[in-house]
Amino acid sequence: MQTDNAQTLSEQILSRASGQRVRAGDMTVVEVSRVMTVDSIAPEVIEVLESKLEQRALPHPERCAIFVDHVAPASNLATAEGQIRARRFAADQAIAHFYDAGRGICHQLMIEENLVEPGAVVIGSDSHSTTYGAVSAFGTGMGTTDVALAFATGQSWMRVPETVRVDLTGALQPGVDAKDVALHLLSRVRADGFTYQAVEFHNAESLSLGSRMTLCSMTTEMGAKAGLIAPDGQVEAYHAVPDWLHTEPGARYQRRLTVDLSALEPAVAVPPRVDDITVPGDLTDVAVDQVFLGTCTNGRLQDLQAAAAILRGRQIAPGVRMIVIPASHRVMQAATEDGTLATLLAAGASVGPAGCGPCIGRHLGVLGSGEACLSTGNRNFAGRMGSPSAQIYLGSPQTAAATALRGMITDPRTVMEATPERSRT
Amino acid sequence: MSTPRTRRVWLFGSDIDTDQIIPGRYSPYMTSEDELASYAFIERRPNFAPNVRPGDIIVAGANFGCGSSREYAPRALQKCGIAAILAPTFARIFFRNAINLGIPLFETDLTAALRDGDRVALDPAVGRLVTAARTFELPRPPAFVRQIQQEGGIIAFYRRFHRFPGETHDHA
């Protein structure tokens, strides 16, 4: 039964950040705990700040973060000059949270460096800022102007979203990844299924932080404004959860869905749509030229380990280029120390500097005409990774490894042996 | 007020994503801001950029602008001179980016009523679209959005009032 006083997590967070009680549908102005931008957008943000807002000194440099990740390291003169400008701006404005090329992907570092707290409103110059919901924060992607205004004022205008509640049951079976949960949801709700809404995931105890990041990252592909894990023991173990942030019985949800994790199978998104979902078994005649393991969605230690478990002692198929881009420098170090990278390299994979890699078609594995790629990323629009005629299939790290092994899209369960314990990244 | 029918309709389907509007490798970051307008729909519809004229409008299907948060996508359309975008639904980041830039948006589905290449009259301030056959009254945006549009974008609003729309106190 709904009660007037009960709030969703988003209503709680945005009320706190507004300094007044708000509910779904209200327009409000919120205090932003953290605002981040990236190398590809920073030059535009700086331009707006300096030319249009005539901002001399930022009022809250400690709330700002800048990441060089989208084209990291610089691939051409234009990106090199853009990064110089970002570097100079960070120094001039005393922005301590500046992470240069090779440190890693913005969203990964925002979590690793503890720049996101439960209950915070966090704005990012990248649509996958919904990732921050993995630690029960309201993370949302915005464009240049909104980000510049947040840098200049510490605030943003916002409409309080309705909430869709997703209850998880069971646990993922061997060979099934949080990525498959997201793809399953996409098959049910489609790419605009959660437009303007916040998603709350309940009973996520069986999912690691990395898996929660995968799931929350993908909510933007369903149109969501934010995707949050309801605070639980795992969040509390690593962060202070404010006492006002908790699931309230009687909160208004626009819709409720249940996902039985135990019943899920590996899934693949067929180009050019992120919501055209099928099983690898339907695509076994699809030969791939490139396999890309990485991105903010699936570039963490647990993802590299899952792929390594399948490729240990084996070779990727002739004619397949496997490109591994760890989500952060720390992930790369950990994967070096525990032998994961050695396993992937021995199998024939290449490893690149931590960052977005070829996800956005700018370097480190641009696709040519008619090529096919199995990517652990989050988008497969035509032209996303290069040629408009290249075909991008999206899948889990396990599906990526199995596909690299066979050279054709492959269900990982058909090539798996016993998998070791996953790391809690 | 009678306005000559000088706006060309550019008709698109549904789920037009920001990678179609501007592929990432044509971003100002990788090329230059000066070239931005020339790259609009460069792969999806190569005849768009060379032929679009200031005042033309886009009429599209559902979920227009889905995908990335890149503001240079609506900005490219603005630089092409697109005077308004009409679609039954917009992806949320694209919607707010376009509003912030001062691009008039109308949430309506005219993809069945209009054809690509039609010439229409449209007064975005009044919200009325006129063809040879019919007049369409377009839905009025919410008050918050109208406040921003009246100033020509959020930056203009902020520079004038030193606050966001709906706030009662001044930051200055």
Side-chain angles (χ1 to χ4, degrees):
Chain A
M1 182 194 306
Q2 293 173 353
T3 64
D4 274 348
N5 287 335
Q7 293 182 304
T8 62
L9 297 176
S10 296
E11 287 171 330
Q12 291 168 356
I13 294 171
L14 297 182
S15 293
R16 205 77 183 184
S18 301
Q20 60 178 331
R21 194 178 171 88
V22 293
R23 42 191 281 179
D26 289 345
M27 298 297 305
T28 189
V29 178
V30 297
E31 208 63 26
V32 175
S33 299
R34 195 84 62 193
V35 52
M36 76 88 179
T37 191
V38 296
D39 54 316
S40 56
I41 302 298
E44 300 185 2
V45 171
I46 295 165
E47 181 65 26
V48 172
L49 283 168
E50 293 180 350
S51 305
K52 296 190 185 166
L53 292 173
E54 287 153 359
Q55 188 82 20
R56 295 286 163 255
L58 296 178
H60 306 289
E62 73 285 356
R63 291 199 213 172
C64 304
I66 301 179
F67 301 90
V68 180
D69 63 349
H70 274 49
V71 187
S75 66
N76 65 1
L77 284 177
T79 54
E81 298 300 335
Q83 290 176 22
I84 288 172
R85 196 159 181 221
R87 232 167 257 130
R88 187 172 297 142
F89 178 77
D92 288 349
Q93 295 288 345
I95 295 175
H97 305 303
F98 178 81
Y99 299 84
D100 215 334
R103 291 297 301 276
I105 303 172
C106 54
H107 307 305
Q108 181 68 17
L109 291 169
M110 286 284 279
I111 301 290
E112 275 182 12
E113 298 288 310
N114 289 311
L115 296 179
V116 181
E117 288 297 317
V121 174
V122 182
I123 287 172
S125 290
D126 185 277
S127 52
H128 297 99
S129 297
T130 50
T131 300
Y132 314 141
V135 298
S136 309
F138 189 98
T140 195
M142 292 190 179
T144 304
T145 299
D146 279 319
V147 168
L149 281 167
F151 267 66
T153 68
Q155 297 186 328
S156 185
W157 67 265
M158 215 174 272
R159 182 181 169 280
V160 180
E162 295 175 307
T163 291
V164 174
R165 173 169 166 159
V166 177
D167 287 288
L168 304 175
T169 63
L172 295 174
Q173 297 303 294
V176 185
D177 188 80
K179 181 61 155 292
D180 300 309
V181 181
L183 295 175
H184 165 80
L185 257 182
L186 275 161
S187 74
R188 285 170 66 175
V189 306
R190 308 307 300 274
D192 57 356
F194 293 151
T195 300
Y196 285 104
Q197 296 178 321
V199 189
E200 285 184 16
F201 295 102
H202 291 247
N203 310 316
E205 283 79 14
S206 70
L207 298 179
S208 65
L209 174 59
S211 292
R212 293 166 180 216
M213 290 171 72
T214 298
L215 193 51
C216 294
S217 158
M218 290 294 284
T219 57
T220 196
E221 304 309 325
M222 304 165 208
K225 183 168 184 144
L228 296 90
I229 300 288
D232 64 4
Q234 239 192 92
V235 179
E236 286 159 7
Y238 294 99
H239 298 271
V241 178
D243 55 12
W244 50 263
L245 183 70
H246 58 274
T247 302
E248 288 182 3
R252 275 174 312 271
Y253 304 112
Q254 188 268 337
R255 177 146 76 128
R256 285 185 74 150
L257 301 168
T258 301
V259 176
D260 180 10
L261 301 178
S262 303
L264 296 184
E265 299 190 289
V268 175
V270 176
R273 295 190 65 98
V274 69
D275 58 2
D276 183 3
I277 305 300
T278 188
V279 292
D282 277 351
L283 300 169
T284 52
D285 59 339
V286 177
V288 301
D289 302 286
Q290 180 166 302
V291 171
F292 168 39
L293 173 61
T295 77
C296 54
T297 300
N298 277 124
R300 282 170 281 284
L301 183 63
Q302 68 179 61
D303 303 311
L304 274 54
Q305 287 175 337
I310 290 173
L311 292 173
R312 186 159 290 116
R314 295 155 130 172
Q315 295 291 300
I316 64 178
V320 173
R321 311 180 301 269
M322 181 166 181
I323 299 174
V324 178
I325 309 282
S328 72
H329 196 264
R330 195 176 289 178
V331 167
M332 192 184 293
Q333 283 184 288
T336 302
E337 283 156 22
D338 77 356
T340 296
L341 278 195
T343 299
L344 294 171
L345 289 166
S350 306
V351 182
C356 301
C359 177
I360 38 183
R362 307 192 196 190
H363 71 157
L364 295 178
V366 177
L367 298 176
S369 309
E371 291 200 299
C373 177
L374 192 298
S375 163
T376 65
N378 44 58
R379 294 216 168 109
N380 59 356
F381 298 131
R384 169 79 177 177
M385 287 179 70
S387 167
S389 66
Q391 303 295 307
I392 305 161
Y393 296 83
L394 302 177
S396 70
Q398 296 89 326
T399 301
T403 298
L405 187 63
R406 287 279 154 85
M408 325 282 286
I409 295 183
T410 299
D411 186 317
R413 298 170 303 177
T414 64
V415 297
M416 271 168 56
E417 289 147 18
T419 21
E421 280 294 307
R422 284 188 169 176
S423 152
R424 283 170 58 106
T425 48
Chain B
M1 169 171 72
S2 117
T3 319
R5 288 191 289 276
T6 55
R7 302 184 190 281
R8 184 211 199 271
V9 169
W10 293 87
L11 200 73
F12 287 86
S14 59
D15 301 300
I16 300 298
D17 64 79
T18 48
D19 279 77
Q20 290 184 47
I21 299 172
I22 295 274
R25 62 190 153 282
Y26 295 102
S27 66
Y29 176 51
M30 299 199 77
T31 59
S32 83
E33 182 71 23
D34 294 339
E35 297 164 44
L36 185 59
S38 67
Y39 297 132
F41 291 111
I42 187 169
E43 284 162 1
R44 175 69 160 69
R45 197 160 171 182
N47 74 327
F48 177 85
N51 293 300
V52 64
R53 293 287 169 266
D56 288 355
I57 66 171
I58 288 176
V59 174
N63 204 23
F64 188 85
C66 59
S68 161
S69 57
R70 57 188 67 156
E71 192 178 277
Y72 55 85
R75 194 166 77 240
L77 299 178
Q78 188 175 51
K79 288 196 160 181
C80 287
I82 289 293
I85 306 175
L86 283 66
T89 55
F90 291 85
R92 56 156 292 271
I93 310 180
F94 182 93
F95 184 87
R96 70 180 289 139
N97 281 342
I99 296 299
N100 283 338
L101 289 172
I103 301 171
L105 302 182
F106 296 97
E107 291 180 280
T108 183
D109 190 349
L110 294 186
T111 53
L114 299 173
R115 292 162 313 182
D116 188 72
D118 275 354
R119 301 212 75 92
V120 303
L122 167 66
D123 186 341
V126 168
R128 181 177 299 134
L129 186 147
V130 181
T131 70
R134 283 184 63 174
T135 295
F136 298 89
E137 299 296 331
L138 304 177
R140 211 158 130 84
F144 196 93
V145 171
R146 290 200 312 273
Q147 285 182 61
I148 298 173
Q149 288 176 335
Q150 257 157 17
E151 296 302 316
I154 191 76
I155 294 289
F157 187 98
Y158 193 84
R159 283 175 63 118
R160 180 172 173 194
F161 297 108
H162 302 289
R163 60 173 175 81
F164 290 96
E167 280 194 291
T168 52
H169 64 275
D170 191 315
H171 288 190

